[in-house]
Amino acid sequence: MSGHSKWATIKHRKGAADQRRGKLFAKLIRQVEVAARQGGGDPEANPTLRTMFQKARDNSVPLDTIERAIKRGTGELEGVTYEQVFYEGYASGGVALYVDVLTDNRNRTSSEVRTLFTRNGGSLAEPGAVAWQFERKGAVILERSVDEEELMLVALDAGGEDLADEGDTWRLICDPSDLVALRAALDSSGIEIISASSTMLPTSVVNLHTPEDARAVLRLIDVLDDHDDVQDVYANFDVPDDILQAAAS
């Protein structure tokens, strides 16, 4: 399994710290608002909003806060207009980074993202330089204690494409259009999930062999991820578990 996926799981585990700083809530609310603006305020008729709504609820965002974000998105309440922008670049060792941003000031954010790349051993690239190395997928993370056979029986009937053992978790992959149905099938079967979201998975990976190499890549990912406008950072590195844990500690 790619280092990108392992690091995404580690980032989820540290979500409580982000939540205390308010960053996780702010990012989830912004995603809900943009989804409502782009596809309407009815989660049943807007699959992206439904996914963002559930993701916010999974992370304990209050229901009234989510509802206000939806109303801002549909124009029922006054709010800021956010633009979605993707930045592409490279970290140390040629690792490709694909950065998903929602911003109300594109010039400011572009300058700040470029500075973060430059100051942390990376380089910003032209649009299209690395996007082809990723593909959009739905990803469901579950506790490793879930029975594999039961999980596969439910998943295969609901659009599941691949199941990966990631140590203390399972990662179930599907087409993004099947994510809502897959989650509903798991819920109705009583299978508890950790998270379910749309993500970008690398089609090929760069292997990192030392804690120093991994630490340089993770440092850039972390500073980008900590930026208020950055929603997600996707990367195409692979690294052994022991080196990843040493770099992350």
Side-chain angles (χ1 to χ4, degrees), residues 4-246:
H4 162 271
S5 177
K6 296 173 187 174
W7 184 239
T9 301
I10 291 174
K11 286 198 296 181
H12 176 83
R13 296 300 191 186
K14 72 167 187 170
D18 288 340
Q19 186 171 333
R20 286 193 296 269
R21 295 196 303 269
K23 287 186 178 294
L24 181 59
F25 270 26
K27 292 184 179 186
L28 291 172
I29 292 166
R30 191 177 295 190
Q31 290 171 7
V32 168
E33 187 173 334
V34 170
R37 178 173 292 113
Q38 293 177 342
D42 180 5
E44 296 303 320
N46 182 348
T48 301
L49 176 59
R50 186 173 176 180
T51 298
M52 293 300 101
F53 184 103
Q54 189 60 58
K55 184 177 179 181
R57 292 298 291 147
D58 287 344
N59 286 278
S60 304
V61 178
L63 182 58
D64 61 341
T65 301
I66 299 173
E67 291 174 342
R68 286 197 300 273
I70 292 174
K71 289 180 179 179
R72 287 195 299 272
T74 58
E76 296 175 68
L77 293 177
E78 185 177 353
V80 175
T81 299
Y82 294 106
E83 176 185 9
Q84 185 174 35
V85 184
F86 290 95
Y87 295 97
E88 304 175 41
Y90 297 95
S92 178
V95 171
L97 298 184
Y98 195 56
V99 186
D100 184 358
V101 165
L102 292 175
T103 178
D104 61 348
N105 188 325
R106 184 168 185 162
N107 290 335
R108 183 205 69 227
T109 301
S110 294
S111 176
E112 292 173 354
V113 168
R114 182 179 298 278
T115 297
L116 291 176
F117 267 94
T118 301
R119 290 181 177 176
N120 292 277
S123 59
L124 204 58
E126 294 298 317
V130 305
W132 60 273
Q133 299 183 59
F134 297 88
E135 61 180 347
R136 178 68 65 180
K137 289 291 184 180
V140 181
I141 307 299
L142 310 100
E143 296 289 356
R144 185 61 179 79
S145 57
V146 176
D147 181 73
E148 180 179 8
E149 184 174 348
E150 179 186 5
L151 183 55
M152 286 298 296
L153 286 174
V154 174
L156 288 175
D157 288 337
E161 296 178 354
D162 181 55
L163 181 66
D165 182 350
E166 299 192 331
D168 61 347
T169 61
W170 293 111
R171 189 192 65 162
L172 183 60
I173 297 301
C174 66
D175 187 272
S177 63
D178 292 327
L179 183 60
V180 171
L182 179 57
R183 176 173 185 139
L186 294 169
D187 286 341
S188 65
S189 298
I191 299 176
E192 186 174 350
I193 71 170
I194 296 174
S195 67
S197 61
S198 176
T199 189
M200 297 293 288
L201 297 182
T203 57
S204 62
V205 296
V206 174
N207 294 303
L208 302 177
H209 301 291
T210 69
E212 292 74 23
D213 289 340
R215 195 171 292 117
V217 173
L218 299 182
R219 182 172 60 249
L220 177 53
I221 291 175
D222 277 343
V223 296
L224 288 167
D225 195 49
D226 202 44
H227 190 284
D228 288 342
D229 294 343
V230 172
Q231 305 304 300
D232 286 295
V233 182
Y234 307 107
N236 72 337
F237 66 94
D238 195 11
V239 59
D241 288 344
D242 56 339
I243 293 178
L244 181 62
Q245 293 296 335

